[in-house]
Amino acid sequence: MRKATKSLSAIATLAILLLAGCATQSVPSERLNHVAVVTSGGTNLWTLGRMPTISVVEVDGTPPANAYGPIELVPGPHKLKMKCGGNITETQVTVAAGEVYEFSVVMGGPGGCQGSLYRVQAAK
């Protein structure tokens, strides 16, 4: 019985590592010379199965190619709409080349969760 538990634990760990590789996509550093980037980072990986997931449903009125990022933004003002559960949160942000933003789940409030955007890397 103990051996089976260890095997399941090892399989679960491997699955999490594989999902992490899919959930966080790196952006080539040369791209950051020209754009800012928005990504979910590890948000959806760590909330998997425990809380609602979050995604970007619109950037400046247009659906992004990848709702979980990375999403490249040219420097300047932008309007992002994030979906968490059934809620839509709208955020306005002015970005500079080289900045990296992550969006995450904020629990509470009407409907249970909302999206939040925060800068994790400043422009260089």
Side-chain angles (χ1 to χ4, degrees):
M1 183 76 133
R2 188 172 226 170
K3 187 175 182 179
T5 302
K6 284 185 179 182
S7 294
L8 287 175
S9 178
I11 291 170
T13 300
L14 179 60
I16 287 172
L17 289 173
L18 289 173
L19 283 172
C22 296
T24 58
Q25 301 175 14
S26 62
V27 175
S29 59
E30 63 271 4
R31 294 291 302 147
L32 286 175
N33 291 330
H34 308 287
V35 299
V37 174
V38 175
T39 184
S40 64
T43 296
N44 285 327
L45 175 65
W46 297 117
T47 62
L48 191 63
R50 293 180 280 180
M51 297 186 327
T53 58
I54 184 168
S55 60
V56 175
V57 294
E58 276 186 21
V59 176
D60 300 327
T62 304
N66 185 350
Y68 302 103
I71 300 167
E72 295 184 2
L73 300 174
V74 296
H78 296 278
K79 185 177 1 177
L80 282 79
K81 288 187 180 179
M82 296 171 280
K83 182 177 181 182
C84 183
N87 294 327
I88 302 289
T89 303
E90 187 173 299
T91 300
Q92 294 195 19
V93 63
T94 300
V95 302
E99 292 180 327
V100 177
Y101 291 81
E102 287 187 2
F103 52 92
S104 64
V105 173
V106 176
M107 296 305 291
C113 72
Q114 297 179 352
S116 176
L117 184 69
Y118 58 96
R119 188 175 66 192
V120 295
Q121 178 179 313
K124 296 182 181 188

